[in-house]
Amino acid sequence: FVFLDARKVITVEEDDQQLNKGGGSEVVLWDECAVKLKQMFHEEWDNNFGGASTSTSSPSQLMHFVATGYIASNSQNVTTTLGRDGSDYSAAIFGRLLQSTVITIWTDVDGVLSADPRRVPDAHILPDVSFNEAMELAYFGAKVIHPKTMQPAIMANPQIPIYIRNTFNSTFRGSRIFTSSTTHTERDRCICGFSTVEDISLINVEGSGMVGVPGVAKRLFGTLESNGINVVFISQASSEHSITFATMNSKAMLAKEAVEEEFAKELRVGHISAIDVISPCSIIAAVGDGMGHTTGVAGRFFSALGDAKINVMAMAQGCSERNISAVVLSSESTRALRAVHAAFRLSHTRVRVGVIASDELGHALLALLEKQRNKLMKTFDINVQVCAVVTQSGNGENEQLVVLNDKSTNESIGPRSLELATGGMGLLGAPAVSEDEPNSVVKAVDGGFLGMSKFLISEDVAHTVIFDCTADESIGEQHPEWLNAGVHVITANNTCLSGSRELRYAIEAAEHHYGKMSASYLREVTVGGGLPVISTIRNLLDSGDRIRRMDGILSISMSYILHRIAPPSNVVDCFTFDKMISSGIFCDAQTISPMGKLSSPCKLSQAVKEAIALGLMESDPVRDLSNEYTARCLMVLAKELGIDEYNDIEKIQKNSDSLIADIDELMDGGLLRKEVCTSEIYSKIESHLDQLMTERIALAAKKGCVPRHISSIDVSTGEISVRIMDVPDGHFFAITPPSNECVRFFTERHKRYPLVIQGPSEGADSTSSALLAELLHLMHGKVGVRNGDLSRTGSSAFLS
């Protein structure tokens, strides 16, 4: 190893005026440097190996120069410096002089990053970057390499690749900067990275007197040059009505005064109407060679900013299509950077989620989100982060708000951390973890669901979602406020959509408050659990069809109860056939009853007890038996069909059949007519209900029928009703499996045979899956998703 003083080799020419105008202060005298290097080489060779020939040297006779950096000599042989990043520049100069095969810059980072990791936590190392991309990123603030460091490698023949590697992580490959990058190989990743220029002021010169007048731009930028003001961004519309440029904040007022002085006459006569300064601003730059070969890049870039509710004040793009720049307010730059970074698959799109949970459904949703989180990141590039959870007991009491300790963390609240924060009780009220187990992820705070949004909303994250897994009317009243705050609401709570007219229309107004930029209100799960009832209504109407009538079984509890007390005659044959053709995959639904096979009828009171045990109805059965839940579902559907104005829950219940409608005479003073029927009252009348239903079933059987709980909406008359009807034993309603719901659509295009939707909607697992599907549907519309790989293991197909 031989020490080499770089001043004896690197020679530069200083004070070149042309280079000063371009921002440089020296130019390398390459021919002189090459002569000096050759001379130094021979001198050191002779000093170390005597007069041995360099062409016949052995491996032990090799010289390795250890050269100084940052310093050089000028043409007068006076010591000078190479300016910012002069040491890296020195390495690149020696790389070209020595005709190296590679130049490695050792620094304190692993390579060139796709964005500033302090602002985009998911920023990653770019394995390959082109010289042009690195130049653009370096100009827009990427500090890892200076543009001038790349010049010697680019000028060399052949060009020399530059590696950026980490001194403290020497085994990592780092980033290679060379002639091409990976942005040409994948359409979704045609952008290699994003960068920003901060502390910018945007200056807009506007006026009708500028249109068609030659020399305006020359005068504008000439006066800026004469005042030493550097312009970092220019945008002008083809109408020539305005010219917008950006400069550093420190020069903004000087620039404005200089322009006002230059155009004083035009301002006085009104040819220029205004010279405005907007500050502070940031420039967001998307960089990638692949942009020139990919359509729709600008559309995706600005759509991502729009979805993040970022206002773009100016934009520019060169014809090389290697850079798209947009000016935004500095207060919104971090959110903008994260939004566009995720839109081009350089990181996951983060979604901050709040869950208002009650009993099993909330627990099932949290468990599902935790289980699927990594798969959603891998398959859809969506990072679903549960940041706040409100827990309630079944009666809406004992409310607790649990949030993340650190708002910037990537952790997510799951069932276990929730149980820790709530003293080991969790959602289901049973201790699941040790009280002594430490918890550093979440904490319980005051505020409940009313204070949830302040812990959930973050200025740096574009997408915020609240899941309402309750049936609480007071929580439903908060939905409009959340929507107006820009929070998407995914709800299984139909009390708000079936409540007062004022609340229904407040939700509708909030859905359109910001036009296309309004938060979304997803309500599919409010009717039919996971069945696509509401989306089918909208698809039919959007495609020009006309819905005339809807009917079906909309109560899973009544579906189970009536099927249990009056099963169709061919139920065993149907189950046997399904089991045969499904090659054993079909689960024998006859065993769903905790007391026996479904083909063996039982009394009404026994069926009610089974439905409660299976979680198909509440411990107080009167709400289902009185059609309250069904009436709420019908009101939601009526709102979708535009016939809700003259209907409400009480009217629907009053005009409908109920299993407890004819027992007033059993209560002294007509108690049922005046007060809400409680579970205690039901227990007193269940034997009488058993007798009534036994007689009803016997009468139906004589006609070859079975009683079923049928809901219907007649659009032409606006009539909404719930009937307990005797339907033929082989009818679709009769053979609908227990705890299944079904809906039929009679439309202009489906006249002869109705369009039918049928399926199970029981259980928290089924409903939580439907809620997650709503979230994926929302994000598909906001940022787009890609499908995972379709895999098959054994007898199942799934996305991996």
Side-chain angles (χ1 to χ4, degrees):
F1 290 89
V2 178
F3 171 75
L4 177 61
D5 187 340
R7 292 174 295 182
K8 296 181 179 180
V9 175
I10 301 177
T11 306
V12 297
E13 183 69 45
E14 295 182 302
D15 298 326
D16 188 292
Q17 295 300 315
Q18 285 298 110
L19 287 172
N20 279 336
K21 291 181 180 180
S25 60
E26 69 282 319
V27 58
V28 178
L29 302 176
W30 291 105
D31 292 339
E32 188 172 338
C33 291
V35 170
K36 288 184 176 181
L37 179 62
K38 187 175 181 180
Q39 181 180 346
M40 286 295 301
F41 175 80
H42 286 294
E43 288 179 3
E44 294 296 338
W45 182 271
D46 291 341
N47 291 336
N48 286 277
F49 304 112
S53 172
T54 58
S55 60
T56 59
S57 60
S58 65
S60 63
Q61 294 177 314
L62 294 178
M63 287 196 307
H64 301 274
F65 285 122
V66 179
T68 57
Y70 187 67
I71 57 175
S73 297
N74 63 18
S75 54
Q76 287 76 41
N77 206 29
V78 176
T79 299
T80 187
T81 61
L82 298 179
R84 177 186 164 190
D85 292 325
S87 296
D88 294 348
Y89 191 26
S90 300
I93 292 172
F94 274 111
R96 181 188 176 187
L97 291 172
L98 294 169
Q99 299 179 6
S100 301
T101 57
V102 64
I103 298 171
T104 302
I105 305 296
W106 291 95
T107 181
D108 58 353
V109 295
D110 284 334
V112 180
L113 286 155
S114 58
D116 185 346
R118 295 168 298 180
R119 305 177 68 186
V120 183
D122 295 330
H124 62 272
I125 300 298
L126 302 172
D128 292 282
V129 183
S130 73
F131 285 123
N132 289 327
E133 290 172 336
M135 286 281 190
E136 295 278 359
L137 289 172
Y139 172 76
F140 280 97
K143 303 294 193 299
V144 70
I145 188 170
H146 195 277
K148 69 180 181 182
T149 301
M150 292 178 274
Q151 291 173 358
I154 296 171
M155 295 167 61
N157 188 18
Q159 292 181 333
I160 305 170
I162 299 176
Y163 280 83
I164 308 297
R165 300 184 65 183
N166 192 344
T167 307
F168 307 102
N169 187 16
S170 59
T171 59
F172 187 71
R173 172 185 181 268
S175 298
R176 186 186 73 157
I177 304 174
F178 200 37
T179 54
S180 63
S181 72
T182 57
T183 56
H184 294 284
T185 60
E186 190 174 347
R187 178 183 176 86
D188 276 347
R189 301 182 188 273
C190 57
I191 301 294
C192 75
F194 294 87
S195 197
T196 62
V197 180
E198 301 297 329
D199 300 321
I200 292 296
S201 290
L202 196 65
I203 302 176
N204 185 55
V205 182
E206 183 176 330
S208 58
M210 299 168 58
V211 178
V213 179
V216 174
K218 177 182 178 181
R219 290 174 58 195
L220 173 63
F221 295 111
T223 193
L224 294 173
E225 179 194 26
S226 63
N227 284 272
I229 298 169
N230 184 39
V231 175
V232 298
F233 176 96
I234 302 171
S235 178
Q236 181 179 21
S238 58
S239 66
E240 301 183 57
H241 183 257
S242 66
I243 299 177
T244 302
F245 66 93
T247 187
M248 304 308 295
N249 279 340
S250 58
K251 297 285 188 178
M253 288 300 102
L254 176 61
K256 182 182 181 182
E257 293 169 0
V259 174
E260 288 175 339
E261 182 179 349
E262 174 66 27
F263 293 95
K265 178 179 178 181
E266 287 81 355
L267 285 166
R268 188 170 59 253
V269 299
H271 290 171
I272 292 180
S273 57
I275 300 174
D276 299 318
V277 178
I278 304 173
S279 178
C281 300
S282 300
I283 301 175
I284 307 289
V287 176
D289 287 341
M291 293 165 57
H293 306 275
T294 307
T295 57
V297 176
R300 195 191 315 178
F301 179 80
F302 291 108
S303 292
L305 293 175
D307 284 334
K309 297 180 176 61
I310 304 295
N311 182 40
V312 176
M313 293 177 290
M315 62 82 62
Q317 181 180 21
C319 61
S320 67
E321 297 187 68
R322 188 175 294 116
N323 175 307
I324 299 177
S325 300
V327 180
V328 302
L329 292 176
S330 291
S331 59
E332 300 175 337
S333 64
T334 297
R335 186 164 84 252
L337 194 57
R338 292 182 180 184
V340 294
H341 194 268
F344 287 90
R345 310 295 187 191
L346 296 178
S347 63
H348 305 303
T349 299
R350 181 167 297 190
V351 184
R352 290 178 64 87
V353 168
V355 178
I356 306 176
S358 178
D359 298 334
E360 291 186 35
L361 178 56
H363 188 276
L365 179 61
L366 285 175
L368 181 63
L369 292 174
E370 183 177 62
K371 179 181 178 181
Q372 295 295 318
R373 190 183 185 201
N374 289 334
K375 181 175 286 188
L376 293 176
M377 285 193 280
K378 178 182 177 182
T379 305
F380 300 108
D381 278 336
I382 299 173
N383 180 6
V384 179
Q385 183 185 26
V386 180
C387 302
V389 177
V390 174
T391 65
Q392 286 186 335
S393 60
N395 57 8
E397 298 177 354
N398 302 321
E399 183 180 87
Q400 295 187 73
L401 172 59
V402 177
V403 300
L404 291 172
N405 270 326
D406 183 1
K407 203 170 185 179
S408 63
T409 183
N410 193 43
E411 297 289 342
S412 181
I413 302 174
R416 186 175 185 82
S417 57
L418 179 65
E419 287 157 355
L420 285 168
T422 55
M425 298 304 291
L427 288 169
L428 302 180
V433 295
S434 169
E435 294 184 5
D436 298 329
E437 186 174 345
N439 176 39
S440 60
V441 177
V442 300
K443 60 184 177 182
V445 297
D446 296 330
F449 69 86
L450 294 174
M452 185 182 197
S453 59
K454 73 177 182 179
F455 294 99
L456 189 61
I457 297 173
S458 171
E459 287 297 322
D460 296 334
V461 178
H463 305 289
T464 306
V465 175
I466 288 179
F467 287 97
D468 183 356
C469 303
T470 72
D472 192 318
E473 294 184 37
S474 62
I475 294 175
E477 292 172 356
Q478 287 295 116
H479 289 185
E481 183 175 330
W482 290 331
L483 291 169
N484 286 327
V487 178
H488 308 294
V489 177
I490 302 175
T491 181
N493 182 358
N494 60 17
T495 60
C496 44
L497 291 170
S498 59
S500 67
R501 182 184 305 174
E502 292 76 12
L503 180 57
R504 297 199 302 269
Y505 286 94
I507 292 174
E508 183 178 8
E511 285 185 273
H512 302 90
H513 185 70
Y514 297 105
K516 292 183 178 180
M517 302 306 300
S518 301
S520 298
Y521 191 68
L522 289 86
R523 66 202 78 183
E524 186 75 77
V525 187
T526 58
V527 178
L531 301 182
V533 178
I534 292 177
S535 59
T536 299
I537 291 176
R538 294 184 175 185
N539 289 338
L540 289 170
L541 296 177
D542 290 345
S543 63
D545 204 350
R546 296 185 178 185
I547 299 175
R548 297 175 175 177
R549 174 183 171 83
M550 291 177 59
D551 61 23
I553 300 174
L554 293 178
S555 169
I556 56 172
S557 58
M558 296 306 297
S559 170
Y560 178 85
I561 290 169
L562 291 178
H563 193 287
R564 185 77 176 87
I565 64 178
S569 59
N570 60 351
V571 63
V572 175
D573 296 336
C574 292
F575 289 152
T576 302
F577 176 76
D578 287 336
K579 192 171 183 179
M580 178 189 69
I581 66 170
S582 64
S583 302
I585 298 174
F586 177 74
C587 176
D588 190 352
Q590 297 186 73
T591 61
I592 189 175
S593 168
M595 301 301 294
K597 290 184 176 293
L598 291 175
S599 56
S600 303
C602 67
K603 293 183 178 181
L604 172 66
S605 57
Q606 178 61 42
V608 170
K609 293 176 182 176
E610 292 180 9
I612 293 173
L614 291 168
L616 303 179
M617 68 189 310
E618 298 181 15
S619 56
D620 180 0
V622 175
R623 295 188 66 180
D624 284 311
L625 296 178
S626 64
N627 297 326
E628 179 183 339
Y629 174 79
T630 308
R632 289 192 181 279
C633 292
L634 288 169
M635 278 299 298
V636 175
L637 297 178
K639 181 72 172 68
E640 294 295 320
L641 295 170
I643 58 172
D644 63 309
E645 185 173 357
Y646 301 107
N647 286 286
D648 55 43
I649 297 171
E650 290 75 17
K651 182 178 179 180
I652 295 173
Q653 288 180 283
K654 183 178 180 180
N655 296 331
S656 298
D657 297 339
S658 169
L659 293 178
I660 59 174
D662 301 321
I663 57 176
D664 292 347
E665 66 275 11
L666 299 179
M667 298 293 133
D668 293 334
L671 180 62
L672 290 180
R673 187 178 297 113
K674 298 177 181 178
E675 299 182 12
V676 176
C677 185
T678 65
S679 57
E680 290 80 11
I681 295 176
Y682 169 77
S683 66
K684 296 177 182 178
I685 62 175
E686 63 178 1
S687 60
H688 179 74
L689 291 178
D690 284 344
Q691 180 182 348
L692 289 177
M693 287 308 301
T694 300
E695 295 172 356
R696 174 74 182 264
I697 292 169
L699 291 174
K702 291 180 180 180
K703 300 183 291 183
C705 297
V706 291
R708 290 294 182 262
H709 191 261
I710 309 301
S711 305
S712 64
I713 299 177
D714 191 313
V715 178
S716 61
T717 63
E719 181 182 354
I720 303 174
S721 64
V722 183
R723 303 286 181 225
I724 299 177
M725 304 177 67
D726 294 339
V727 301
D729 188 78
H731 191 272
F732 172 70
F733 289 148
I735 62 175
T736 294
S739 70
N740 274 235
E741 295 185 4
C742 63
V743 179
R744 301 192 304 176
F745 296 86
F746 295 85
T747 76
E748 188 175 289
R749 295 173 184 165
H750 298 87
K751 296 177 181 177
R752 182 171 298 179
Y753 303 108
L755 175 65
V756 177
I757 297 175
Q758 181 198 59
S761 61
E762 88 286 357
D765 290 340
S766 173
T767 306
S768 62
S769 296
L771 289 169
L772 176 56
E774 287 278 77
L775 174 62
L776 294 177
H777 175 73
L778 168 69
M779 296 313 299
H780 183 278
K782 293 295 180 183
V783 298
V785 296
R786 66 163 186 239
N787 292 324
D789 297 327
L790 188 61
S791 302
R792 181 178 178 273
T793 300
S795 59
S796 302
F798 58 94
L799 287 178
S800 62

PDB file of all heavy atoms in Angstrom, residues 619-636:
ATOM      1  N   SER A 619     -80.394 -12.690  24.235  1.00  0.00           N
ATOM      2  CA  SER A 619     -80.971 -13.395  25.375  1.00  0.00           C
ATOM      3  C   SER A 619     -82.417 -12.980  25.618  1.00  0.00           C
ATOM      4  O   SER A 619     -83.220 -13.749  26.145  1.00  0.00           O
ATOM      5  CB  SER A 619     -80.143 -13.140  26.634  1.00  0.00           C
ATOM      6  OG  SER A 619     -80.042 -11.747  26.873  1.00  0.00           O
ATOM      7  N   ASP A 620     -82.775 -11.735  25.225  1.00  0.00           N
ATOM      8  CA  ASP A 620     -84.165 -11.303  25.235  1.00  0.00           C
ATOM      9  C   ASP A 620     -84.719 -11.535  23.842  1.00  0.00           C
ATOM     10  O   ASP A 620     -84.426 -10.783  22.905  1.00  0.00           O
ATOM     11  CB  ASP A 620     -84.262  -9.826  25.611  1.00  0.00           C
ATOM     12  CG  ASP A 620     -85.705  -9.330  25.632  1.00  0.00           C
ATOM     13  OD1 ASP A 620     -86.606 -10.147  25.348  1.00  0.00           O
ATOM     14  OD2 ASP A 620     -85.914  -8.140  25.926  1.00  0.00           O
ATOM     15  N   PRO A 621     -85.540 -12.585  23.658  1.00  0.00           N
ATOM     16  CA  PRO A 621     -85.979 -12.947  22.307  1.00  0.00           C
ATOM     17  C   PRO A 621     -87.037 -12.034  21.713  1.00  0.00           C
ATOM     18  O   PRO A 621     -87.349 -12.127  20.527  1.00  0.00           O
ATOM     19  CB  PRO A 621     -86.543 -14.359  22.507  1.00  0.00           C
ATOM     20  CG  PRO A 621     -87.018 -14.369  23.920  1.00  0.00           C
ATOM     21  CD  PRO A 621     -86.076 -13.489  24.686  1.00  0.00           C
ATOM     22  N   VAL A 622     -87.582 -11.134  22.531  1.00  0.00           N
ATOM     23  CA  VAL A 622     -88.721 -10.345  22.071  1.00  0.00           C
ATOM     24  C   VAL A 622     -88.347  -9.428  20.910  1.00  0.00           C
ATOM     25  O   VAL A 622     -89.157  -9.174  20.019  1.00  0.00           O
ATOM     26  CB  VAL A 622     -89.316  -9.547  23.253  1.00  0.00           C
ATOM     27  CG1 VAL A 622     -90.427  -8.616  22.782  1.00  0.00           C
ATOM     28  CG2 VAL A 622     -89.836 -10.510  24.298  1.00  0.00           C
ATOM     29  N   ARG A 623     -87.099  -8.914  20.885  1.00  0.00           N
ATOM     30  CA  ARG A 623     -86.703  -7.997  19.812  1.00  0.00           C
ATOM     31  C   ARG A 623     -86.798  -8.674  18.450  1.00  0.00           C
ATOM     32  O   ARG A 623     -87.158  -8.044  17.463  1.00  0.00           O
ATOM     33  CB  ARG A 623     -85.282  -7.489  20.057  1.00  0.00           C
ATOM     34  CG  ARG A 623     -85.147  -6.641  21.306  1.00  0.00           C
ATOM     35  CD  ARG A 623     -83.782  -6.015  21.402  1.00  0.00           C
ATOM     36  NE  ARG A 623     -83.543  -5.051  20.352  1.00  0.00           N
ATOM     37  CZ  ARG A 623     -82.414  -4.361  20.205  1.00  0.00           C
ATOM     38  NH1 ARG A 623     -81.409  -4.575  21.057  1.00  0.00           N
ATOM     39  NH2 ARG A 623     -82.267  -3.485  19.231  1.00  0.00           N
ATOM     40  N   ASP A 624     -86.453  -9.961  18.403  1.00  0.00           N
ATOM     41  CA  ASP A 624     -86.583 -10.678  17.132  1.00  0.00           C
ATOM     42  C   ASP A 624     -88.015 -11.125  16.883  1.00  0.00           C
ATOM     43  O   ASP A 624     -88.518 -11.025  15.762  1.00  0.00           O
ATOM     44  CB  ASP A 624     -85.652 -11.897  17.140  1.00  0.00           C
ATOM     45  CG  ASP A 624     -84.205 -11.516  16.927  1.00  0.00           C
ATOM     46  OD1 ASP A 624     -83.921 -10.754  15.989  1.00  0.00           O
ATOM     47  OD2 ASP A 624     -83.353 -11.964  17.703  1.00  0.00           O
ATOM     48  N   LEU A 625     -88.672 -11.614  17.926  1.00  0.00           N
ATOM     49  CA  LEU A 625     -90.034 -12.095  17.741  1.00  0.00           C
ATOM     50  C   LEU A 625     -91.007 -10.971  17.399  1.00  0.00           C
ATOM     51  O   LEU A 625     -92.038 -11.202  16.780  1.00  0.00           O
ATOM     52  CB  LEU A 625     -90.503 -12.810  19.012  1.00  0.00           C
ATOM     53  CG  LEU A 625     -89.722 -14.088  19.394  1.00  0.00           C
ATOM     54  CD1 LEU A 625     -90.254 -14.660  20.704  1.00  0.00           C
ATOM     55  CD2 LEU A 625     -89.796 -15.123  18.284  1.00  0.00           C
ATOM     56  N   SER A 626     -90.676  -9.737  17.808  1.00  0.00           N
ATOM     57  CA  SER A 626     -91.540  -8.593  17.499  1.00  0.00           C
ATOM     58  C   SER A 626     -91.159  -7.909  16.195  1.00  0.00           C
ATOM     59  O   SER A 626     -91.684  -6.845  15.872  1.00  0.00           O
ATOM     60  CB  SER A 626     -91.484  -7.576  18.644  1.00  0.00           C
ATOM     61  OG  SER A 626     -90.162  -7.048  18.750  1.00  0.00           O
ATOM     62  N   ASN A 627     -90.200  -8.493  15.469  1.00  0.00           N
ATOM     63  CA  ASN A 627     -89.784  -7.994  14.135  1.00  0.00           C
ATOM     64  C   ASN A 627     -88.983  -6.702  14.173  1.00  0.00           C
ATOM     65  O   ASN A 627     -88.853  -6.022  13.149  1.00  0.00           O
ATOM     66  CB  ASN A 627     -90.996  -7.785  13.214  1.00  0.00           C
ATOM     67  CG  ASN A 627     -91.733  -9.072  12.909  1.00  0.00           C
ATOM     68  OD1 ASN A 627     -91.110 -10.130  12.804  1.00  0.00           O
ATOM     69  ND2 ASN A 627     -93.049  -8.987  12.781  1.00  0.00           N
ATOM     70  N   GLU A 628     -88.427  -6.340  15.329  1.00  0.00           N
ATOM     71  CA  GLU A 628     -87.678  -5.086  15.392  1.00  0.00           C
ATOM     72  C   GLU A 628     -86.462  -5.131  14.471  1.00  0.00           C
ATOM     73  O   GLU A 628     -86.240  -4.198  13.674  1.00  0.00           O
ATOM     74  CB  GLU A 628     -87.227  -4.794  16.817  1.00  0.00           C
ATOM     75  CG  GLU A 628     -86.407  -3.504  16.918  1.00  0.00           C
ATOM     76  CD  GLU A 628     -85.879  -3.238  18.312  1.00  0.00           C
ATOM     77  OE1 GLU A 628     -86.436  -3.785  19.288  1.00  0.00           O
ATOM     78  OE2 GLU A 628     -84.902  -2.481  18.433  1.00  0.00           O
ATOM     79  N   TYR A 629     -85.659  -6.202  14.561  1.00  0.00           N
ATOM     80  CA  TYR A 629     -84.460  -6.294  13.723  1.00  0.00           C
ATOM     81  C   TYR A 629     -84.832  -6.340  12.242  1.00  0.00           C
ATOM     82  O   TYR A 629     -84.225  -5.658  11.413  1.00  0.00           O
ATOM     83  CB  TYR A 629     -83.640  -7.532  14.093  1.00  0.00           C
ATOM     84  CG  TYR A 629     -82.475  -7.756  13.159  1.00  0.00           C
ATOM     85  CD1 TYR A 629     -81.310  -7.014  13.288  1.00  0.00           C
ATOM     86  CD2 TYR A 629     -82.559  -8.683  12.123  1.00  0.00           C
ATOM     87  CE1 TYR A 629     -80.246  -7.193  12.417  1.00  0.00           C
ATOM     88  CE2 TYR A 629     -81.502  -8.873  11.241  1.00  0.00           C
ATOM     89  CZ  TYR A 629     -80.344  -8.132  11.392  1.00  0.00           C
ATOM     90  OH  TYR A 629     -79.300  -8.299  10.522  1.00  0.00           O
ATOM     91  N   THR A 630     -85.841  -7.141  11.905  1.00  0.00           N
ATOM     92  CA  THR A 630     -86.260  -7.258  10.507  1.00  0.00           C
ATOM     93  C   THR A 630     -86.758  -5.920   9.976  1.00  0.00           C
ATOM     94  O   THR A 630     -86.466  -5.548   8.827  1.00  0.00           O
ATOM     95  CB  THR A 630     -87.361  -8.315  10.375  1.00  0.00           C
ATOM     96  OG1 THR A 630     -86.926  -9.533  10.984  1.00  0.00           O
ATOM     97  CG2 THR A 630     -87.681  -8.578   8.909  1.00  0.00           C
ATOM     98  N   ALA A 631     -87.495  -5.188  10.802  1.00  0.00           N
ATOM     99  CA  ALA A 631     -87.994  -3.877  10.375  1.00  0.00           C
ATOM    100  C   ALA A 631     -86.838  -2.921  10.092  1.00  0.00           C
ATOM    101  O   ALA A 631     -86.896  -2.119   9.144  1.00  0.00           O
ATOM    102  CB  ALA A 631     -88.914  -3.301  11.441  1.00  0.00           C
ATOM    103  N   ARG A 632     -85.778  -2.993  10.880  1.00  0.00           N
ATOM    104  CA  ARG A 632     -84.619  -2.137  10.627  1.00  0.00           C
ATOM    105  C   ARG A 632     -83.959  -2.498   9.294  1.00  0.00           C
ATOM    106  O   ARG A 632     -83.543  -1.610   8.531  1.00  0.00           O
ATOM    107  CB  ARG A 632     -83.620  -2.268  11.779  1.00  0.00           C
ATOM    108  CG  ARG A 632     -84.100  -1.629  13.084  1.00  0.00           C
ATOM    109  CD  ARG A 632     -82.986  -1.522  14.106  1.00  0.00           C
ATOM    110  NE  ARG A 632     -83.448  -0.926  15.352  1.00  0.00           N
ATOM    111  CZ  ARG A 632     -83.594   0.385  15.549  1.00  0.00           C
ATOM    112  NH1 ARG A 632     -83.318   1.223  14.566  1.00  0.00           N
ATOM    113  NH2 ARG A 632     -84.010   0.852  16.713  1.00  0.00           N
ATOM    114  N   CYS A 633     -83.836  -3.788   9.016  1.00  0.00           N
ATOM    115  CA  CYS A 633     -83.260  -4.196   7.721  1.00  0.00           C
ATOM    116  C   CYS A 633     -84.109  -3.685   6.562  1.00  0.00           C
ATOM    117  O   CYS A 633     -83.577  -3.201   5.554  1.00  0.00           O
ATOM    118  CB  CYS A 633     -83.151  -5.719   7.655  1.00  0.00           C
ATOM    119  SG  CYS A 633     -81.936  -6.432   8.779  1.00  0.00           S
ATOM    120  N   LEU A 634     -85.410  -3.779   6.710  1.00  0.00           N
ATOM    121  CA  LEU A 634     -86.309  -3.315   5.645  1.00  0.00           C
ATOM    122  C   LEU A 634     -86.197  -1.805   5.451  1.00  0.00           C
ATOM    123  O   LEU A 634     -86.291  -1.313   4.316  1.00  0.00           O
ATOM    124  CB  LEU A 634     -87.742  -3.714   5.967  1.00  0.00           C
ATOM    125  CG  LEU A 634     -88.052  -5.217   5.825  1.00  0.00           C
ATOM    126  CD1 LEU A 634     -89.404  -5.538   6.419  1.00  0.00           C
ATOM    127  CD2 LEU A 634     -87.997  -5.638   4.351  1.00  0.00           C
ATOM    128  N   MET A 635     -85.994  -1.056   6.521  1.00  0.00           N
ATOM    129  CA  MET A 635     -85.831   0.386   6.392  1.00  0.00           C
ATOM    130  C   MET A 635     -84.540   0.736   5.639  1.00  0.00           C
ATOM    131  O   MET A 635     -84.509   1.685   4.852  1.00  0.00           O
ATOM    132  CB  MET A 635     -85.819   1.048   7.766  1.00  0.00           C
ATOM    133  CG  MET A 635     -87.194   1.303   8.350  1.00  0.00           C
ATOM    134  SD  MET A 635     -88.191   2.414   7.315  1.00  0.00           S
ATOM    135  CE  MET A 635     -87.209   3.907   7.360  1.00  0.00           C
ATOM    136  N   VAL A 636     -83.473  -0.036   5.887  1.00  0.00           N
ATOM    137  CA  VAL A 636     -82.227   0.191   5.148  1.00  0.00           C
ATOM    138  C   VAL A 636     -82.448  -0.040   3.661  1.00  0.00           C
ATOM    139  O   VAL A 636     -82.008   0.751   2.813  1.00  0.00           O
ATOM    140  CB  VAL A 636     -81.106  -0.734   5.680  1.00  0.00           C
ATOM    141  CG1 VAL A 636     -79.856  -0.589   4.821  1.00  0.00           C
ATOM    142  CG2 VAL A 636     -80.786  -0.407   7.128  1.00  0.00           C
TER     143      VAL A 636
END
